[in-house]
Amino acid sequence: MKKYETPLLNELEKGPWPSFVKELKKAAKTSEMANDEVGQLEKSFRDKRGYWKHGGIVGVLGYGGGVIGRYSSLPNEFPGVAHFHTVRINQPSGMFYKTDSLRTILDLWDEYGSGLTNMHGSTGDMVLLGCRTEALEPLFAEVTSRGWDLGGSGSALRTPACCVGKARCEWANIDAMDICNDLTQTYQDYVHRPAWPYKFKFKIAGCAVDCVASIARADCSIIGTWKGNIAVDQDVVKDYAKAGMNINAEIVGMCPTGCMSYDGKTLTIDDENCSRCMHCISKMTKALRPTGERGASILIGSKAPIVVGSLLSWVIVPFMKMEPPYTELKELAEKIWEWWDDNAKPRERIGEVIELKGMRSFLEAIGVPPQPQQVLAPRKDPFFFWKDEDLNGKK
Amino acid sequence: MEKDELKDKIFEFVQAAKGKKKLKEKDIIKGMAEKTGETPDNVKKAMREMIDIGRLMYSYGGGSSSVEIPSEEYLREKGLIK
Amino acid sequence: MAWLTEQEAKAKRKTDIGPPHYSKMLPPVISKNYGKWKYHEVFTPGTMVHVAESGDKVYTVRVASPRILATESIRAMLDIADKYCDGYIRWTTRNNVEFMTTREENVPLIKKAAEDAGYPAGGIGSGLSNMVHTQGWVHCHSAAADASGLVKAIMDEVYPYFTEKKLPAKTRLALACCVNMCGAVHCSDLAVVAIHRKVPEINHDLVKNMCEIPTTIGACPTRAISPDPAKKSVKINPDKCMYCGNCFTVCPPIDIHRPEEDGVAIVVGGKVGSLRKGPMFSKLAIPYIKNNPPRWPEVVSAVKNILETYANDARKHERIGEWIDRIGWESFFKKTGIEFTYQHIDDFTFARDTFRTSAAFKW
């Protein structure tokens, strides 16, 4: 195996934070591919630029996603990374693993690839980093015969992701892991066979703390909420005060709706004015908990800046019950996809199409009525559309 | 229309677009349904069968996915030709 | 493991089975108390306990990872999980690893074992969690800077805020190696995003064969690209180009990489939770710092400066964006000593929402 001098990368083996260079070099002990990755990366650090070509056309037979082609632009100098494709393995919801189950993937990956991984990729898949084209089919057969499958890529439904949900969080208003798994299984075809103008992401968060960044990173954000009051255990409130919490400053004073008061003994909540932001509950988790009906708010459209600026998701359905098999959610999703597919140019995300075509056309197409929860404020300028049905008083 | 005939027509359609337009699944389904009078569902099924055996393939380039006729290199790699 | 022959592999090949069901992956205490958790308590930035209605407890040790992991390292983690956690392990959405156990006495043992393996405990509560990031030069064609290298250099410097030191509120760091932002950079408390600063150069001969002209024109957010019929290619209006590189994504012969001009910007004040002020976008703090591998000292000190100014000035529970909202951006630039430039004033799509429309401000 070629020995590379890596004076620049060596600098990144120092210091207390876990070193990715050490990881690369661990894999490089036994893998020519990982070794040439180290060599090429040292060159990148020297020249201040990457040496990878645009993704190419690779994949497993029948699928259009799950593998992202990656080729070095210096294949003669670094033959081990001439092919260095990414394989996305769909993670189990919540990213819990039984160790023997995960070992199976590791063993397969040492056999067929570079031994390098990302745990996990930004969308949520386990990412196997560095596979040769001819190894894709055998790896896929091994992986699927052992009960695992590829995730999404390209203009497809991307691998849905969720927070830890009910598995280990008292704040989960919905079964995020189950919804995530159900959507993933129901829409396998959309995950593996890119049929749309561009990518589409689901992320499911159990509450408004949003540990999966659903509101910023999902075309469809599903965020748990509730409709009832917040139950207060006054004895425990006293414990928090005794333990040094300044309840007026830290809780009452930071409530965005001013719906709380505390007289030194009793914490009072004007529930009708509560917007369910989760601040007080997250800071006094032993004393406060939601009660009553649980469900999700459905929001649409968030994405990163490309092309015309980043977007946060917009509320479309303020409250939806979330019981398996999640029929209402799926019917809504299918209507959303149909409208998007009919109206988008290539590489337009749903949020951009809604901006272009107008929120009203979108809401009408998916059958969602106007509700004040959908907006921060009504429009300010007196320019608006009147349709015949509005004039006839039908709407 | 017989399924095999439909498949041949789909193949011709994709071949005609080669180098001119990157076809998405929907372009093929819509285009062929209009051309042949077949239901979009039937076109989709036929197209998917062709993809499953490598007569067509999913491609990726320019930031989005499309459907194309596979290269010899691809077919060889998949063991579909010698 | 016995390997399949190619024929056997093909015969066993399945499609569209999806991931294994999560229920097969859950520790028994999690399965038993699923949906019945009562509260949790954070002991240290690396350890916490969740208590169920049943009285059952599950202790969690959260440890750092560099996201890039060799199989050998994951096996070492799995060995720890076998020894102390009945054979279960979990990853968080920010690439931390979580070891869960019902036995409190295992907590220090897990912590030590993970630290001995090189993965320190931390990341819970009011402090830093792991810095989410993208592929960078390790694996991406589009990177304007490396990702892992910058993250390593930054996290080495602010390390105590991960393992022990508190901040006013939880603080989410992120890094994207180009403006495609394969990570929640646009809504992070403090984030680094790599940028280009020069109009791309077009290899017209290659454009002819490799690119769809309408798609390439359509890819430009500022309408800087128009057809160049004579060359069967496109041309770029340098007065309109904002160097986003989206044309390069759809048309590789439009080369935007300039190693000596590329670098990073620093953005601040974003968050995703709806708590208190609601989700916020990150906004520009520093428009450009040059790439200076392997350890990017200028970026590291800029990040540290912002983080420490925030730590010293913000109120308890205030995220960076809430702190800046309260003190005002003019105070942010004053307190951090960061220079305010033309680049800070928006001239892209949502610019008018950012201009000041009040006569009240600070000096």
Side-chain angles (χ1 to χ4, degrees):
Chain A
M1 206 179 298
K2 203 166 165 186
K3 176 97 179 83
Y4 292 103
E5 292 301 320
T6 58
L8 295 172
L9 292 179
N10 292 351
E11 290 300 310
L12 292 167
E13 291 187 54
K14 300 170 185 168
W17 189 253
S19 165
F20 73 103
V21 174
K22 284 186 186 164
E23 298 294 330
L24 297 175
K25 289 188 175 176
K26 267 187 212 174
K29 283 186 295 185
T30 50
S31 161
E32 291 273 4
M33 298 180 79
N35 189 50
D36 276 3
E37 162 73 42
V38 171
Q40 180 172 309
L41 189 64
E42 176 72 16
K43 185 174 167 66
S44 284
F45 269 67
R46 201 163 56 231
D47 301 347
K48 301 185 190 179
R49 59 160 303 162
Y51 287 104
W52 299 101
K53 290 199 241 179
H54 275 64
I57 307 158
V58 287
V60 298
L61 193 63
Y63 279 17
V67 180
I68 298 95
R70 186 65 69 214
Y71 301 90
S72 170
S73 60
L74 307 167
N76 297 325
E77 202 175 338
F78 303 103
V81 292
H83 298 195
F84 210 69
H85 310 318
T86 298
V87 180
R88 291 184 180 161
I89 307 281
N90 198 142
Q91 82 288 5
S93 290
M95 299 190 281
F96 286 89
Y97 295 93
K98 208 165 183 315
T99 50
D100 55 0
S101 189
L102 187 49
R103 271 198 192 90
T104 305
I105 300 288
L106 301 178
D107 292 348
L108 289 171
W109 188 230
D110 281 339
E111 179 72 15
Y112 288 105
S114 74
L116 286 169
T117 73
N118 282 157
M119 297 293 284
H120 295 73
S122 294
T123 299
D125 301 281
M126 268 193 264
V127 169
L128 307 182
L129 217 54
C131 190
R132 290 193 59 83
T133 305
E134 62 272 18
L136 290 170
E137 285 295 339
L139 174 67
F140 178 73
E142 298 270 15
V143 163
T144 54
S145 70
R146 287 173 168 82
W148 297 80
D149 203 341
L150 303 187
S153 66
S155 308
L157 179 62
R158 298 303 184 85
T159 307
C162 63
C163 67
V164 73
K166 286 180 184 278
R168 202 201 51 200
C169 183
E170 66 270 25
W171 301 332
N173 290 296
I174 51 174
D175 194 344
M177 278 169 40
D178 193 56
I179 297 167
C180 181
N181 185 70
D182 193 312
L183 292 173
T184 307
Q185 290 292 351
T186 305
Y187 297 118
Q188 280 290 292
D189 188 54
Y190 290 131
V191 172
H192 294 135
R193 295 172 193 79
W196 290 331
Y198 206 17
K199 62 185 98 170
F200 191 97
K201 298 186 183 182
F202 278 120
K203 291 196 191 292
I204 304 105
C207 79
V209 175
D210 199 356
C211 291
V212 66
S214 144
I215 208 160
R217 307 199 46 219
D219 296 272
C220 185
S221 320
I222 299 164
I223 300 177
T225 186
W226 73 97
K227 275 196 161 172
N229 295 344
I230 296 175
V232 186
D233 185 331
Q234 300 291 354
D235 290 338
V236 184
V237 171
K238 287 190 188 89
D239 293 342
Y240 276 103
K242 251 183 254 161
M245 179 182 269
N246 181 342
I247 292 175
N248 270 317
E250 294 180 44
I251 306 297
V252 175
M254 297 190 90
C255 170
T257 62
C259 76
M260 306 178 91
S261 59
Y262 179 65
D263 60 4
K265 288 186 203 120
T266 308
L267 183 69
T268 314
I269 302 177
D270 170 12
D271 283 286
E272 203 180 323
N273 277 313
C274 168
S275 62
R276 298 169 184 77
C277 81
M278 290 297 294
H279 170 72
C280 61
I281 293 173
S282 73
K283 299 297 172 278
M284 303 178 89
T285 187
K286 288 181 181 173
L288 306 178
R289 50 185 356 192
T291 66
E293 209 180 352
R294 311 299 171 95
S297 301
I298 313 293
L299 299 86
I300 195 98
S302 67
K303 55 181 263 309
I306 294 291
V307 182
V308 282
S310 46
L311 299 175
L312 281 158
S313 280
W314 304 309
V315 174
I316 51 170
V317 179
F319 190 86
M320 185 186 277
K321 290 285 277 184
M322 285 285 150
E323 307 290 344
Y326 313 107
T327 310
E328 196 182 349
L329 174 67
K330 289 175 193 168
E331 283 174 1
L332 181 76
E334 286 160 25
K335 280 187 240 168
I336 290 170
W337 293 331
E338 195 186 340
W339 182 83
W340 174 48
D341 207 11
D342 283 344
N343 287 282
K345 292 202 288 285
R347 297 189 76 231
E348 270 177 357
R349 300 279 286 268
I350 181 82
E352 292 165 318
V353 181
I354 293 172
E355 265 207 301
L356 283 169
K357 303 278 169 188
M359 182 60 96
R360 174 173 178 168
S361 354
F362 172 66
L363 292 177
E364 282 184 334
I366 61 168
V368 171
Q371 294 150 84
Q373 287 80 5
Q374 292 159 341
V375 296
L376 275 178
R379 73 177 75 234
K380 73 183 196 331
D381 291 316
F383 308 143
F384 29 87
F385 292 111
W386 290 100
K387 296 191 175 179
D388 283 346
E389 61 262 35
D390 300 327
L391 299 176
N392 298 337
K394 282 186 194 152
K395 279 193 182 173
Chain B
M1 190 181 292
E2 287 294 315
K3 209 180 218 172
D4 285 343
E5 193 189 343
L6 177 60
K7 285 182 184 171
D8 289 343
K9 289 216 148 76
I10 292 174
F11 190 83
E12 282 168 30
F13 184 82
V14 179
Q15 202 161 33
K18 201 173 174 179
K20 290 182 193 128
K21 185 176 173 7
K22 281 196 177 124
L23 296 175
K24 304 195 71 72
E25 273 202 349
K26 197 182 131 201
D27 298 324
I28 298 171
I29 295 168
K30 242 175 117 179
M32 287 310 295
E34 271 168 29
K35 249 188 161 155
T36 61
E38 283 289 339
T39 63
D41 248 19
N42 283 348
V43 178
K44 185 172 169 180
K45 267 188 206 137
M47 177 186 67
R48 286 292 177 77
E49 284 180 23
M50 294 168 78
I51 291 169
D52 279 343
I53 59 156
R55 202 168 167 206
L56 295 176
M57 67 178 287
Y58 291 106
S59 178
Y60 179 84
S64 65
S65 309
S66 56
V67 177
E68 282 176 15
I69 294 165
S71 64
E72 254 189 63
E73 190 192 354
Y74 177 86
L75 296 173
R76 198 165 292 126
E77 183 255 306
K78 298 297 175 211
L80 298 168
I81 54 169
K82 294 235 168 178
Chain C
M1 192 181 303
W3 301 103
L4 306 177
T5 65
E6 202 178 324
Q7 241 174 355
E8 285 168 334
K10 272 189 181 154
K12 292 186 87 172
R13 186 185 199 269
K14 293 177 191 153
T15 64
D16 302 291
I17 56 172
H21 196 272
Y22 60 86
S23 61
K24 294 179 196 156
M25 304 288 172
L26 301 178
V29 65
I30 298 282
S31 295
K32 183 186 163 202
N33 297 289
Y34 195 92
K36 290 176 229 155
W37 296 99
K38 201 170 168 192
Y39 66 87
H40 74 278
E41 252 178 289
V42 178
F43 299 132
T44 68
T47 56
M48 63 180 162
V49 63
H50 284 79
V51 182
E53 309 278 4
S54 65
D56 288 351
K57 291 180 177 177
V58 62
Y59 298 88
T60 300
V61 179
R62 183 180 290 177
V63 308
S65 98
R67 190 172 83 131
I68 294 178
L69 290 172
T71 48
E72 181 188 324
S73 301
I74 302 173
R75 283 197 188 88
M77 292 171 175
L78 299 185
D79 289 344
I80 296 172
D82 281 342
K83 193 163 176 193
Y84 300 111
C85 312
D86 303 315
Y88 296 90
I89 192 168
R90 175 178 183 261
W91 267 261
T92 73
T93 52
R94 301 189 72 85
N95 312 315
N96 297 303
V97 186
E98 288 187 338
F99 297 95
M100 290 154 290
T101 175
T102 50
R103 292 183 293 276
E104 190 172 9
E105 65 273 18
N106 281 354
V107 169
L109 303 174
I110 295 169
K111 202 164 169 262
K112 176 153 192 325
E115 279 167 1
D116 288 347
Y119 308 103
I124 305 173
S126 299
L128 291 185
S129 184
N130 204 339
M131 184 164 185
V132 297
H133 64 279
T134 56
Q135 301 288 17
W137 294 332
V138 168
H139 206 233
C140 188
H141 65 290
S142 178
D146 187 43
S148 317
L150 270 151
V151 166
K152 164 74 174 145
I154 291 168
M155 290 309 291
D156 275 343
E157 185 68 29
V158 297
Y159 181 76
Y161 292 106
F162 180 86
T163 52
E164 50 178 335
K165 277 173 92 171
K166 292 211 161 177
L167 289 164
K170 71 175 175 185
T171 304
R172 296 296 179 243
L173 306 184
L175 181 136
C177 58
C178 82
V179 298
N180 278 310
M181 290 192 186
C182 309
V185 164
H186 60 302
C187 294
S188 297
D189 291 278
L190 177 46
V192 177
V193 54
I195 54 160
H196 304 285
R197 300 192 302 158
K198 285 273 197 184
V199 178
E201 276 170 20
I202 306 172
N203 185 333
H204 294 289
D205 290 341
L206 291 176
V207 169
K208 242 180 290 183
N209 302 321
M210 287 178 74
C211 311
E212 282 187 334
I213 302 291
T215 311
T216 309
I217 292 169
C220 181
T222 63
R223 299 178 189 214
I225 304 180
S226 57
D228 188 342
K231 296 194 178 108
K232 290 191 177 159
S233 179
V234 293
K235 53 189 170 196
I236 299 175
N237 179 346
D239 295 335
K240 286 188 174 176
C241 176
M242 293 174 108
Y243 334 108
C244 74
N246 198 34
C247 52
F248 167 72
T249 299
V250 303
C251 179
I254 303 183
D255 183 15
I256 192 158
H257 293 95
R258 297 285 171 280
E260 293 309 318
E261 293 296 335
D262 296 344
V264 305
I266 294 183
V267 295
V268 297
K271 71 187 196 70
V272 296
S274 289
L275 292 75
R276 304 172 299 280
K277 276 196 187 299
M280 292 190 258
F281 288 114
S282 317
K283 311 280 170 57
L284 184 64
I286 301 176
Y288 176 75
I289 302 174
K290 69 178 175 183
N291 271 329
N292 192 3
R295 295 200 69 103
W296 283 267
E298 299 83 0
V299 178
V300 170
S301 72
V303 168
K304 196 178 182 194
N305 170 39
I306 295 170
L307 198 65
E308 294 196 330
T309 309
Y310 158 70
N312 292 331
D313 200 62
R315 292 176 185 162
K316 198 172 179 185
H317 305 313
E318 257 180 353
R319 299 279 292 262
I320 289 186
E322 296 170 274
W323 163 62
I324 298 174
D325 250 19
R326 177 172 59 79
I327 64 170
W329 281 96
E330 65 276 36
S331 299
F332 168 81
F333 285 100
K334 188 174 167 188
K335 284 175 198 268
T336 55
I338 296 170
E339 185 193 0
F340 191 82
T341 66
Y342 278 125
Q343 277 76 27
H344 287 95
I345 301 178
D346 197 356
D347 38 25
F348 193 49
T349 39
F350 308 116
R352 63 181 176 182
D353 297 339
T354 65
F355 303 145
R356 194 185 295 273
T357 55
S358 153
F361 42 81
K362 300 174 190 171
W363 291 104

